[in-house]
Amino acid sequence: MAPDIKIDAWLTDMDGVLVREGDAIPGAALFLERLIQKKRKFLVLTNNSIFTPRDLAARLANSGLDVPEDRIWTSAIATAQFLDDQAPDASAFVIGEAGLTTALHEIGYTLTSTAPDFVVLGETRTYSFESITTAIRLVEKGARFIATNPDVTGPSPEGPLPATGSVAALITKATGVSPYFVGKPNPMMFRSAMNKIEVHSEATAMIGDRMDTDVIAGIEAGLETFLVLTGSTQRADIARFPFRPRHVVDSIADIVDHV
């Protein structure tokens, strides 16, 4: 890393950077310990909108990683923050789980299927035909369409599962209306995270495992970008993209000394 670059705050993706299939990636615990030792501001970011920060903190703890729940920033929280800025105290029909419904309740939103201001789509393991049909009809009647993130699949031990982006495409096909996606690769998610911990982009770094979400959003938000090769993007894949991360490292262990 260039010697004149000083990083005071760190944003890091979760899956593929800190954990993989429920197990901590070697070096992740030491990286988090170093952040706390050096009193660096940081947030763990995830497009996962299913779980609350408390749930995710518990899951990370089961992997041996100590991350306070107030250091976790999800696409559900970013979506709620966006809606609170756009239309405070409004109403929404929600397809999603506790991570999303809790975030919307906490900003004072009313969750309803009766003439809502918004249809908000998040990730869930129980997408129902009835809920999707309701969402389509509400969007056709004028409800504004928001989605937590554009990820088309999510991981599971059995293989990929359809995720928010896939269901959003179904609703768009039926209505002709595309959603506004708040989560990565929208740099707004990074900006809202930086607002939370009160840091500026010039002294903030993003660590991710995906070129098409983490790295591109970090570049567009003006952050120092690190790509780790322990997740989705491998070294041979980088050449396919018209942009580059500032740093490419094998794993989070290689970043510890930069904190």
Side-chain angles (χ1 to χ4, degrees), residues 77-134:
I77 297 172
T79 297
Q81 182 66 65
F82 170 76
L83 288 171
D84 192 35
D85 291 341
Q86 292 286 307
D89 302 318
S91 61
F93 174 73
V94 177
I95 298 177
E97 298 196 19
L100 182 55
T101 57
T102 299
L104 291 173
H105 276 138
E106 288 180 347
I107 63 164
Y109 259 48
T110 300
L111 307 189
T112 180
S113 60
T114 303
D117 299 298
F118 296 92
V119 165
V120 182
L121 174 66
E123 191 176 355
T124 174
R125 296 290 186 252
T126 57
Y127 289 114
S128 76
F129 184 80
E130 180 181 358
S131 294
I132 293 170
T133 300
T134 298

Side-chain angles (χ1 to χ4, degrees), residues 4-238:
D4 58 338
I5 296 174
K6 184 176 186 296
I7 297 174
D8 295 324
W10 295 81
L11 306 179
T12 176
D13 189 29
M14 186 171 69
D15 294 308
V17 177
L18 300 179
V19 293
R20 183 171 50 215
E21 296 180 359
D23 296 322
I25 290 173
L30 181 58
F31 174 75
L32 293 168
E33 290 170 8
R34 185 67 59 84
L35 290 173
I36 293 170
Q37 286 173 357
K38 293 292 187 72
K39 297 181 180 180
R40 302 298 190 208
K41 294 183 177 181
F42 74 95
L43 281 178
V44 174
L45 274 62
T46 176
N47 263 355
N48 187 317
S49 65
I50 292 179
F51 302 105
T52 67
R54 181 175 298 179
D55 298 331
L56 290 171
R59 290 163 65 91
L60 288 168
N62 289 337
S63 300
L65 301 179
D66 183 14
V67 180
E69 61 181 274
D70 67 349
R71 297 296 91 188
I72 298 174
W73 193 251
T74 71
S75 65
I77 297 172
T79 297
Q81 182 66 65
F82 170 76
L83 288 171
D84 192 35
D85 291 341
Q86 292 286 307
D89 302 318
S91 61
F93 174 73
V94 177
I95 298 177
E97 298 196 19
L100 182 55
T101 57
T102 299
L104 291 173
H105 276 138
E106 288 180 347
I107 63 164
Y109 259 48
T110 300
L111 307 189
T112 180
S113 60
T114 303
D117 299 298
F118 296 92
V119 165
V120 182
L121 174 66
E123 191 176 355
T124 174
R125 296 290 186 252
T126 57
Y127 289 114
S128 76
F129 184 80
E130 180 181 358
S131 294
I132 293 170
T133 300
T134 298
I136 288 169
R137 291 172 178 169
L138 291 171
V139 170
E140 286 183 329
K141 290 179 181 178
R144 288 161 283 178
F145 187 17
I146 303 291
T148 56
N149 67 80
D151 297 351
V152 294
T153 61
S156 79
E158 295 78 26
L161 296 171
T164 310
S166 295
V167 179
L170 188 159
I171 296 172
T172 294
K173 190 70 173 179
T175 62
V177 177
S178 298
Y180 181 73
F181 292 108
V182 177
K184 298 179 293 182
N186 189 340
M188 178 179 292
M189 183 165 172
F190 290 0
R191 294 189 188 110
S192 63
M194 288 187 287
N195 286 339
K196 174 180 169 60
I197 57 176
E198 299 180 330
V199 296
H200 298 291
S201 59
E202 293 82 0
T204 302
M206 173 63 198
I207 309 168
D209 72 309
R210 292 186 59 151
M211 289 286 287
D212 57 347
T213 56
D214 305 316
V215 172
I216 185 59
I219 291 171
E220 291 181 354
L223 310 183
E224 191 78 4
T225 51
F226 288 79
L227 175 72
V228 297
L229 302 177
T230 48
S232 298
T233 301
Q234 300 304 303
R235 192 177 296 275
D237 300 327
I238 298 172

